[in-house]
Amino acid sequence: MLSTKRRALMAPLAILAAASFALTSCSSGDSGSGDAGSAKDTVSYALPVGTGPNWLLPIASPDTMATHNSAIKSTLFVPLFEFNGTSGTMEWDKKASAAKSYEFSDDKKTISITLNDLNWADGTPLSSRDVEFWYNLVRFNGEATGGYSAGMIPDNITKFETVDEKTFKLTFDKVYNEDFLLANQLTLVRPMPQHAWDKTSADGEIGDLDRDKAGSKQVLDYLFKEAGDLASYATNPLWKVVNGPYQVGTWSDSGEVTLEANDKYTGEDKPSIKTVKFLPYTSTDAEMNTVRAGEVDYGYITASQMENKAQFTDNGYEVKPWDGWSITYMPYNFKSDSMGKVFSQLYVRQALQHAVDQPSLSKVVWHDAATPDYGPIPQTPESDYLSQVQKDNPYPYDLDAASKLFADHGWTKNGDVLECTNPGTGADECGEGIEQGKKMEIVFTTQNGSQETDNMMATIQSAMAQVGVKVTIDAKPLDNVLAEAQTCKQGTKCDWQFVFFGTAGSWYFPAYPTGERVFAKDTKWNAGQYDNPEAEKLVTSMTTSTDPQIAQKYSELLAKDLPVMWMPNPVYQVSVIKNGLDVGHQDPGASFYPQRWSWK
């Protein structure tokens, strides 16, 4: 899913990050929680700027998929499989999962899953029927649910078979890569209390309504209606039937939420902190002011504040960048009316990539709160999915190499700007569709509001000018940039050239970093309409192939072929954490686990 700093939205477990935090702020009026850190059974956590939790039902609606919604829900309603990087590597987190064990059939098409001994807060044991309840509601109402992707789960399940109260089997339409199936598909499954929720009104009779299409629609309509009433979250009996380590204490329309430890929780992931307060903010300055005042336990600062971090460490905080399992990039518009034919030439993309000094940008502009990113697989933390080609950077910063690529393909400087002086399709000519006199003038449409992003774009603009590439920077509000990125897909117009929405990372992944939602030919977020049959085959194979090297082959090809301009990958946030508060390893997948926080 794509990140934009309201923060990462998890789309089918990839973050469709329309979520830019620190950059969308407007006002500076919010205050923190006063003495939040003084009570050692309480922790206060600063939410992304301009956002607040607004959905509790385990099945999300399409517009309620923000990361903090998912993370909070997971503390109340335990997901079937939870994958994260809290151990330092992206892997199955058994303690945070409802699944106890699994086994694939010999033909690899069927998986048998046994559930943990979890109870709902009313004493009813978690059962296979609770998983079937989720499955029925989603399979009959896919288009209405967030994260639904046609052909993927639950569409690809051909049979749900209950073995007993704790064990069930899922049969799929074909053999899938096991990493993809477990980390990207089954993590979407959220068991729900069928015995309490399978009804169509508050005083309605519980039945098996979910087992037919009409009944399941009525049930989901009722649950969606109740989930839309945030003011009732703390009192509605529906939301009291939880099976996770926390339950709702308070929930306000403004986004301030309090979770209380669930004393009926029967799992292993028991909370150390009794009360967790989630605090909303309307601006980064407002949030940082509460940090400076010591009024929030777990907050964040901007990357530029890394130069002045003593003001926070001297105030009793640890400054701890939160690395993301993500990539950052700027799409080329291969269908651009003005520059699409130019961008289709690999040598052009190679030359432009040579003008992006990622190590220096990461260190100087991002104050070490970003890492170089040379391809489609996250480069931190280390993983077996990353190819050596991507890791080694096939196009290091080299303005001479960039200039030579243009010169060798028929471009000559006219004043300060390169022009095509040798049109044609030969090896030393400009390439198909590029006419005589075509100028190398490009526009970066980039999100505004971030000094780091502004400085990065200005630095790249200066480097490209030395090569003869004239760059114009057109900074706009994030929502405008995201809308612009979709114009070609919508058929309205197609005149943008580059778009940048990566101030907090462009795309966050589930544990298995596939590209079917980003670089597949017809997917929504392949905004620039990159089309390479070899890449398409690898993108598809990553979801189905049992070849353990398939991800590395994909990593190598897209690092070389440059479907986008690879950019430094910023951290999810620069966290500031009260001394004495142990939050463990911050999850690169951008989730959080308050049940594991503790005061030393």
Side-chain angles (χ1 to χ4, degrees):
M1 289 189 113
L2 207 123
S3 166
T4 67
K5 233 172 160 173
R6 239 174 293 172
R7 225 162 266 217
L9 284 173
M10 297 279 199
L13 290 208
I15 289 182
L16 198 220
S20 178
F21 310 32
L23 311 183
T24 55
S25 59
C26 313
S27 116
S28 57
D30 287 355
S31 63
S33 59
D35 253 347
S38 61
K40 294 306 180 184
D41 59 355
T42 300
V43 167
S44 57
Y45 178 88
L47 288 165
V49 166
T51 65
N54 64 350
W55 195 257
L56 197 53
L57 185 68
I59 297 175
S61 63
D63 59 346
T64 60
M65 295 179 62
T67 306
H68 50 274
N69 278 338
S70 179
I72 290 174
K73 284 189 295 187
S74 292
T75 70
L76 308 170
F77 305 102
V78 181
L80 184 63
F81 283 91
E82 179 76 356
F83 277 71
N84 58 53
T86 56
S87 68
T89 59
M90 299 297 289
E91 61 185 11
W92 179 26
D93 186 338
K94 295 183 181 181
K95 288 177 64 176
S97 301
K100 179 180 181 180
S101 62
Y102 65 88
E103 183 178 0
F104 281 96
S105 61
D106 290 342
D107 65 2
K108 304 298 183 183
K109 289 181 68 175
T110 299
I111 184 172
S112 177
I113 299 171
T114 299
L115 297 170
N116 274 311
D117 292 326
L118 292 171
N119 284 352
W120 298 103
D122 61 6
T124 304
L126 173 71
S127 71
S128 300
R129 182 69 176 97
D130 297 323
V131 181
E132 184 202 354
F133 182 51
W134 176 92
Y135 168 65
N136 287 336
L137 292 184
V138 176
R139 74 185 175 111
F140 286 129
N141 301 278
E143 293 291 346
T145 63
Y148 173 76
S149 180
M152 294 288 105
I153 205 165
D155 295 354
N156 54 5
I157 297 174
T158 60
K159 184 179 181 181
F160 185 107
E161 178 185 356
T162 298
V163 177
D164 57 38
E165 286 295 303
K166 289 293 183 184
T167 304
F168 61 94
K169 293 182 179 181
L170 301 174
T171 299
F172 290 86
D173 57 358
K174 59 186 174 185
V175 175
Y176 289 91
N177 178 290
E178 288 188 15
D179 284 352
F180 173 73
L181 198 61
L182 290 166
N184 296 27
Q185 292 285 276
L186 293 178
T187 47
L188 293 169
V189 179
R190 303 269 175 155
M192 304 194 306
Q194 184 272 336
H195 71 281
W197 290 6
D198 200 351
K199 58 184 181 179
T200 60
S201 65
D203 56 357
E205 184 177 348
I206 299 294
D208 291 323
L209 302 172
D210 62 301
R211 284 178 165 162
D212 70 73
K213 187 170 184 178
S216 72
K217 183 180 186 308
Q218 291 178 327
V219 171
L220 191 63
D221 285 348
Y222 165 63
L223 294 175
F224 268 28
K225 178 177 178 292
E226 296 299 296
D229 184 10
L230 274 61
S232 71
Y233 275 6
T235 57
N236 191 326
L238 286 174
W239 316 128
K240 299 207 180 276
V241 190
V242 300
N243 65 350
Y246 284 97
Q247 59 189 349
V248 175
T250 63
W251 197 299
S252 73
D253 289 339
S254 69
E256 185 165 335
V257 171
T258 300
L259 300 183
E260 300 289 348
N262 174 17
D263 59 9
K264 306 288 182 60
Y265 174 62
T266 58
E268 296 180 27
D269 211 10
K270 297 189 184 297
S272 297
I273 302 294
K274 180 181 178 181
T275 303
V276 182
K277 298 180 179 180
F278 296 93
L279 306 175
Y281 294 91
T282 55
S283 74
T284 307
D285 286 344
E287 189 274 341
M288 286 198 295
N289 285 340
T290 63
V291 170
R292 292 185 181 98
E295 295 175 348
V296 64
D297 299 317
Y298 191 169
Y300 49 87
I301 59 176
T302 61
S304 61
Q305 292 296 323
M306 292 283 281
E307 286 189 329
N308 306 305
K309 67 179 182 180
Q311 66 176 300
F312 303 103
T313 56
D314 290 349
N315 199 27
Y317 288 96
E318 176 188 10
V319 177
K320 193 173 183 180
W322 185 340
D323 292 324
W325 183 242
S326 59
I327 58 175
T328 300
Y329 54 84
M330 189 155 51
Y332 292 92
N333 185 357
F334 292 100
K335 301 298 183 181
S336 165
D337 299 330
S338 57
M339 293 297 287
K341 296 295 185 182
V342 176
F343 295 155
S344 295
Q345 303 300 316
L346 177 58
Y347 77 85
V348 171
R349 306 197 299 277
Q350 291 171 330
L352 296 179
Q353 192 69 60
H354 274 305
V356 182
D357 187 358
Q358 290 206 53
S360 294
L361 291 169
S362 299
K363 183 174 182 60
V364 177
V365 173
W366 288 98
H367 309 283
D368 288 321
T371 53
D373 175 14
Y374 305 129
I377 299 292
Q379 298 201 202
T380 55
E382 280 282 340
S383 74
D384 292 336
Y385 305 128
L386 185 66
S387 69
Q388 194 62 45
V389 169
Q390 179 182 331
K391 190 183 301 185
D392 290 346
N393 185 12
Y395 307 109
Y397 182 65
D398 188 337
L399 298 184
D400 290 337
S403 297
K404 186 174 187 306
L405 281 163
F406 281 120
D408 289 349
H409 290 85
W411 294 80
T412 306
K413 271 192 180 181
N414 182 359
D416 294 328
V417 181
L418 288 165
E419 285 187 4
C420 173
T421 54
N422 192 20
T425 58
D428 61 347
E429 295 172 336
C430 299
E432 183 179 354
I434 303 175
E435 68 275 13
Q436 176 86 28
K438 180 68 176 177
K439 294 182 182 296
M440 191 58 64
E441 297 177 336
I442 57 181
V443 178
F444 292 171
T445 302
T446 178
Q447 67 184 94
N448 61 13
S450 164
Q451 191 62 55
E452 291 80 17
T453 292
D454 292 347
N455 291 345
M456 178 172 66
M457 292 301 169
T459 302
I460 295 172
Q461 180 187 47
S462 176
M464 290 192 175
Q466 296 178 57
V467 176
V469 179
K470 181 181 178 181
V471 175
T472 299
I473 299 171
D474 182 17
K476 298 181 177 181
L478 175 62
D479 288 346
N480 291 19
V481 177
L482 294 173
E484 185 93 351
Q486 290 299 309
T487 53
C488 296
K489 289 280 188 176
Q490 296 164 350
T492 52
K493 58 180 180 177
C494 196
D495 55 5
W496 64 269
Q497 296 171 14
F498 289 87
V499 285
F500 182 75
F501 38 75
T503 298
S506 298
W507 192 270
Y508 276 73
F509 291 96
Y512 184 46
T514 57
E516 78 279 0
R517 297 188 61 80
V518 195
F519 299 117
K521 179 180 177 182
D522 295 323
T523 194
K524 174 181 179 180
W525 283 105
N526 179 3
Q529 302 183 74
Y530 172 68
D531 183 5
N532 178 336
E534 185 181 359
E536 190 75 13
K537 183 177 179 181
L538 287 174
V539 165
T540 301
S541 294
M542 277 193 76
T543 67
T544 58
S545 174
T546 57
D547 177 2
Q549 303 300 313
I550 193 68
Q552 292 190 16
K553 294 174 183 176
Y554 162 77
S555 166
E556 178 176 344
L557 176 63
L558 268 68
K560 289 186 191 176
D561 198 48
L562 301 171
V564 294
M565 182 181 291
W566 303 115
M567 305 285 279
N569 188 42
V571 297
Y572 178 67
Q573 70 178 28
V574 180
S575 298
V576 285
I577 304 166
K578 271 279 182 70
N579 290 340
L581 177 61
D582 183 1
V583 302
H585 190 92
Q586 299 181 106
D587 174 31
S591 194
F592 45 81
Y593 300 85
Q595 65 268 36
R596 297 173 188 176
W597 303 343
S598 62
W599 288 105
K600 297 176 184 176

